[in-house]
Amino acid sequence: MPTLNKIRTALTGAMIRKTRPADSFPTDPQAARLRLAITAFFALDGFLFAGWVVRIPAIKAQTGAGAGALGLALLGVSAGAVAFMMLTGRLCRRYGTHAVTVASGVAMSLSLVLPPLTRSATALGLVLLVFGAAYGSLNVAMNSAAVDLIAALRRPVMPSFHAAFSLGGMVGAGLGGLIAGGLSPTVHLLLLAAIGVVVAAVAGRSLLAHPAPVVPERLPASAPRAGRRRSGRLVFVFGLIALCTAYGEGAMADWGALHLSQDLAAGPGLAAAGYSVFALAMTAGRLSGTAVVQRFGQARTLMAGGTTAAAGMLLGALAPTTWAACLGFAVGGLGLANIFPTAIARAGEAGGPGGVAAASTIGYAGMLLNPPVIGFLAEEFGLPLALTTIALLAAVAVVIAYGTRGAQRGGRG
């Protein structure tokens, strides 16, 4: 069977090469520059988002919001993201993934200055709609650009792009932890916004100078209706897997630092370090993600990752000490590392930018769910118990991945 798969892959690659124009594959230097520019946007996304995350406790105190009100305000990030994701898929098809990536990167950088200017939970929720719209748009555009480049490279390197996101998150959280006591949220986030605009301009110049690789339609309009339905079902399934894990990533970003500071009496620096440990573990997992997927296949990668994440997040939520909770966060981050990028890459293979947009919209609905669910559960039962829902949804992702393992290309299950 492995030999047959290799033959089929080789024949498919040969057929694709015959159907593409000679310049549809970037040259090695072009591919390297494209990969570096796209990686920079993934890192920028993580850096800016983590910078916002570590200032949530300070902005919560500034607005005087309780756990429930804060949960509703944080819902603005996810609501704005989900609202713009499908629109971004259409914009990518019309204007190109590279142009939309650059515009979204600049928009996200500028919108970062808004949250610390608010003085109420309602105002915070409204400005987070804007920040979330830019965040969601950037995620769809850069993932679509990455899927096109991966198709040209013919290597499963999506985890390496998401490793850059995690590395950016780790740096952003670490920097936030260092300066949280010395700079106000307004000055801190204004500084990050300036850095973001500069990075987007520099990386964007390189990205706009090289057109995206020409990738044939995954399922052209002439394709049989049954094939299109199957593609749609695959996109939906991988979107559900993404949802289960995006819930956990979003919850860690929104509530991890608050859990350490509020429930375990950690100081501002140590509370920020908790998310940094989570991001570091995700970075390590994603840096090795390409080799893991090639070695074990997509199905086993998804199932093992979900199982590990469930165990780690149970420890992180229920541990009685800060250091034990950080250990749980690290294990959880390692488990979650390659689930989302693998799911989005598979959705992109099945449906192109539209598939990425649809799966991302479903996936980020997990981020839409976590603020109100955890916020209200925290008020009723306490934040530690509310955070165990992360482990529950990671286990659900394992069940879905196991049930659909036969449909996953390269899935050895």
PDB file of all heavy atoms in Angstrom, residues 6 15 21 100 106 112 178-179 187 189 191 212 215 354 401:
ATOM      1  N   LYS A   6       2.741   6.003  -3.152  1.00  0.00           N
ATOM      2  CA  LYS A   6       3.823   6.780  -3.748  1.00  0.00           C
ATOM      3  C   LYS A   6       3.643   6.889  -5.255  1.00  0.00           C
ATOM      4  O   LYS A   6       3.864   7.936  -5.861  1.00  0.00           O
ATOM      5  CB  LYS A   6       5.177   6.136  -3.428  1.00  0.00           C
ATOM      6  CG  LYS A   6       5.580   6.257  -1.958  1.00  0.00           C
ATOM      7  CD  LYS A   6       6.903   5.570  -1.707  1.00  0.00           C
ATOM      8  CE  LYS A   6       7.294   5.665  -0.229  1.00  0.00           C
ATOM      9  NZ  LYS A   6       8.553   4.958   0.055  1.00  0.00           N
ATOM     10  N   MET A  15       0.644  14.758 -13.551  1.00  0.00           N
ATOM     11  CA  MET A  15      -0.521  15.285 -14.250  1.00  0.00           C
ATOM     12  C   MET A  15      -0.716  16.768 -13.946  1.00  0.00           C
ATOM     13  O   MET A  15      -1.054  17.556 -14.832  1.00  0.00           O
ATOM     14  CB  MET A  15      -1.766  14.498 -13.834  1.00  0.00           C
ATOM     15  CG  MET A  15      -1.776  13.060 -14.340  1.00  0.00           C
ATOM     16  SD  MET A  15      -3.183  12.140 -13.693  1.00  0.00           S
ATOM     17  CE  MET A  15      -4.521  13.032 -14.474  1.00  0.00           C
ATOM     18  N   PRO A  21       0.920  26.156 -16.300  1.00  0.00           N
ATOM     19  CA  PRO A  21       1.890  26.855 -17.111  1.00  0.00           C
ATOM     20  C   PRO A  21       3.267  26.730 -16.510  1.00  0.00           C
ATOM     21  O   PRO A  21       3.436  26.461 -15.322  1.00  0.00           O
ATOM     22  CB  PRO A  21       1.397  28.318 -17.087  1.00  0.00           C
ATOM     23  CG  PRO A  21       0.514  28.409 -15.895  1.00  0.00           C
ATOM     24  CD  PRO A  21      -0.083  27.048 -15.704  1.00  0.00           C
ATOM     25  N   VAL A 100      -4.482  40.708   0.151  1.00  0.00           N
ATOM     26  CA  VAL A 100      -5.376  40.696   1.308  1.00  0.00           C
ATOM     27  C   VAL A 100      -4.586  40.428   2.593  1.00  0.00           C
ATOM     28  O   VAL A 100      -4.898  40.986   3.653  1.00  0.00           O
ATOM     29  CB  VAL A 100      -6.492  39.651   1.118  1.00  0.00           C
ATOM     30  CG1 VAL A 100      -7.409  39.612   2.334  1.00  0.00           C
ATOM     31  CG2 VAL A 100      -7.314  39.973  -0.133  1.00  0.00           C
ATOM     32  N   VAL A 106      -1.767  45.089   8.285  1.00  0.00           N
ATOM     33  CA  VAL A 106      -1.742  46.504   8.687  1.00  0.00           C
ATOM     34  C   VAL A 106      -2.965  46.837   9.543  1.00  0.00           C
ATOM     35  O   VAL A 106      -2.856  47.515  10.577  1.00  0.00           O
ATOM     36  CB  VAL A 106      -1.685  47.407   7.441  1.00  0.00           C
ATOM     37  CG1 VAL A 106      -1.830  48.876   7.838  1.00  0.00           C
ATOM     38  CG2 VAL A 106      -0.372  47.190   6.682  1.00  0.00           C
ATOM     39  N   LEU A 112      -4.950  47.344  17.253  1.00  0.00           N
ATOM     40  CA  LEU A 112      -4.459  46.937  18.563  1.00  0.00           C
ATOM     41  C   LEU A 112      -4.442  48.087  19.560  1.00  0.00           C
ATOM     42  O   LEU A 112      -4.454  47.867  20.773  1.00  0.00           O
ATOM     43  CB  LEU A 112      -3.048  46.342  18.423  1.00  0.00           C
ATOM     44  CG  LEU A 112      -2.449  45.637  19.628  1.00  0.00           C
ATOM     45  CD1 LEU A 112      -3.268  44.405  19.991  1.00  0.00           C
ATOM     46  CD2 LEU A 112      -1.001  45.236  19.350  1.00  0.00           C
ATOM     47  N   LEU A 178       7.631  40.964  30.719  1.00  0.00           N
ATOM     48  CA  LEU A 178       8.770  41.764  31.183  1.00  0.00           C
ATOM     49  C   LEU A 178       8.392  43.222  31.423  1.00  0.00           C
ATOM     50  O   LEU A 178       8.904  43.854  32.353  1.00  0.00           O
ATOM     51  CB  LEU A 178       9.905  41.691  30.160  1.00  0.00           C
ATOM     52  CG  LEU A 178      10.653  40.359  30.066  1.00  0.00           C
ATOM     53  CD1 LEU A 178      11.658  40.397  28.916  1.00  0.00           C
ATOM     54  CD2 LEU A 178      11.370  40.051  31.386  1.00  0.00           C
ATOM     55  N   ILE A 179       7.512  43.750  30.578  1.00  0.00           N
ATOM     56  CA  ILE A 179       7.228  45.180  30.672  1.00  0.00           C
ATOM     57  C   ILE A 179       5.861  45.495  31.266  1.00  0.00           C
ATOM     58  O   ILE A 179       5.494  46.662  31.382  1.00  0.00           O
ATOM     59  CB  ILE A 179       7.356  45.854  29.291  1.00  0.00           C
ATOM     60  CG1 ILE A 179       6.279  45.343  28.329  1.00  0.00           C
ATOM     61  CG2 ILE A 179       8.732  45.625  28.697  1.00  0.00           C
ATOM     62  CD1 ILE A 179       6.325  46.010  26.963  1.00  0.00           C
ATOM     63  N   VAL A 187       0.487  52.433  26.313  1.00  0.00           N
ATOM     64  CA  VAL A 187       1.826  52.611  25.741  1.00  0.00           C
ATOM     65  C   VAL A 187       2.341  51.294  25.169  1.00  0.00           C
ATOM     66  O   VAL A 187       2.919  51.257  24.077  1.00  0.00           O
ATOM     67  CB  VAL A 187       2.791  53.159  26.812  1.00  0.00           C
ATOM     68  CG1 VAL A 187       4.217  53.234  26.260  1.00  0.00           C
ATOM     69  CG2 VAL A 187       2.331  54.533  27.277  1.00  0.00           C
ATOM     70  N   LEU A 189       0.667  48.621  23.987  1.00  0.00           N
ATOM     71  CA  LEU A 189       0.016  48.197  22.757  1.00  0.00           C
ATOM     72  C   LEU A 189       0.259  49.179  21.616  1.00  0.00           C
ATOM     73  O   LEU A 189       0.274  48.782  20.444  1.00  0.00           O
ATOM     74  CB  LEU A 189      -1.477  47.990  22.995  1.00  0.00           C
ATOM     75  CG  LEU A 189      -1.814  46.870  23.995  1.00  0.00           C
ATOM     76  CD1 LEU A 189      -3.319  46.652  24.086  1.00  0.00           C
ATOM     77  CD2 LEU A 189      -1.115  45.566  23.625  1.00  0.00           C
ATOM     78  N   LEU A 191       3.134  50.657  21.166  1.00  0.00           N
ATOM     79  CA  LEU A 191       4.458  50.233  20.709  1.00  0.00           C
ATOM     80  C   LEU A 191       4.351  48.999  19.817  1.00  0.00           C
ATOM     81  O   LEU A 191       4.992  48.929  18.748  1.00  0.00           O
ATOM     82  CB  LEU A 191       5.344  49.938  21.928  1.00  0.00           C
ATOM     83  CG  LEU A 191       6.745  49.383  21.635  1.00  0.00           C
ATOM     84  CD1 LEU A 191       7.566  50.383  20.849  1.00  0.00           C
ATOM     85  CD2 LEU A 191       7.462  49.022  22.951  1.00  0.00           C
ATOM     86  N   ALA A 212       1.227  34.858  -6.248  1.00  0.00           N
ATOM     87  CA  ALA A 212       0.997  33.538  -5.659  1.00  0.00           C
ATOM     88  C   ALA A 212       1.143  32.466  -6.734  1.00  0.00           C
ATOM     89  O   ALA A 212       0.825  32.696  -7.906  1.00  0.00           O
ATOM     90  CB  ALA A 212      -0.391  33.481  -5.047  1.00  0.00           C
ATOM     91  N   VAL A 215      -2.452  27.642  -8.791  1.00  0.00           N
ATOM     92  CA  VAL A 215      -2.907  26.317  -8.376  1.00  0.00           C
ATOM     93  C   VAL A 215      -4.239  26.044  -9.047  1.00  0.00           C
ATOM     94  O   VAL A 215      -5.162  26.854  -8.935  1.00  0.00           O
ATOM     95  CB  VAL A 215      -3.067  26.236  -6.841  1.00  0.00           C
ATOM     96  CG1 VAL A 215      -3.559  24.863  -6.423  1.00  0.00           C
ATOM     97  CG2 VAL A 215      -1.738  26.553  -6.173  1.00  0.00           C
ATOM     98  N   GLY A 354     -11.742  29.044  -0.529  1.00  0.00           N
ATOM     99  CA  GLY A 354     -13.083  28.888   0.034  1.00  0.00           C
ATOM    100  C   GLY A 354     -13.114  27.838   1.116  1.00  0.00           C
ATOM    101  O   GLY A 354     -13.802  27.988   2.127  1.00  0.00           O
ATOM    102  N   ALA A 401     -11.659  12.707  14.670  1.00  0.00           N
ATOM    103  CA  ALA A 401     -10.515  12.301  13.849  1.00  0.00           C
ATOM    104  C   ALA A 401     -10.485  10.797  13.658  1.00  0.00           C
ATOM    105  O   ALA A 401     -10.186  10.302  12.559  1.00  0.00           O
ATOM    106  CB  ALA A 401      -9.216  12.779  14.508  1.00  0.00           C
TER     107      ALA A 401
END
